[in-house]
Amino acid sequence: ASASAPSIDQSGDENGPLWGYVTKFVKRGEVGSGNTKFKCNFCNIEYQGSYSRVRAHLLLLAGHGIGVCAIVKNKSDLLSEI
């Protein structure tokens, strides 16, 4: 019996819980474009993208166009937030 993956919101939610683990910079370009420059509060690396990229980075989801965070070791701590 295999465990099913937890349901994770993949929307561009500006109020998504994982935004609390990154520092968002001022958006440039079109308002509502979904791309935000952000810095991970764990590894301190800057990225650009939407909430789905923040989610992939912090929850260690490979194959989503962004590197996984090298500092986060236990994504279950973050999953309890969402």
Side-chain angles (χ1 to χ4, degrees):
S2 63
S4 62
S7 176
I8 299 171
D9 181 17
Q10 296 185 21
S11 71
D13 186 4
E14 288 294 320
N15 298 314
L18 295 175
W19 282 121
Y21 295 99
V22 300
T23 301
K24 291 178 14 176
F25 299 105
V26 176
K27 228 182 215 188
R28 294 180 189 223
E30 286 184 40
V31 174
S33 68
N35 284 329
T36 300
K37 189 171 183 178
F38 63 91
K39 179 173 76 168
C40 175
N41 292 345
F42 295 103
C43 67
N44 292 314
I45 297 176
E46 293 183 11
Y47 296 100
Q48 183 168 335
S50 63
Y51 186 75
S52 62
R53 292 189 80 204
V54 171
R55 183 181 63 85
H57 176 70
L58 293 173
L59 298 182
L60 312 177
L61 303 173
H64 292 271
I66 190 168
V68 298
C69 183
I71 305 299
V72 173
K73 298 295 183 202
N74 187 358
K75 68 181 177 182
S76 63
D77 291 341
L78 298 177
L79 283 172
S80 67
E81 298 285 325
I82 58 174

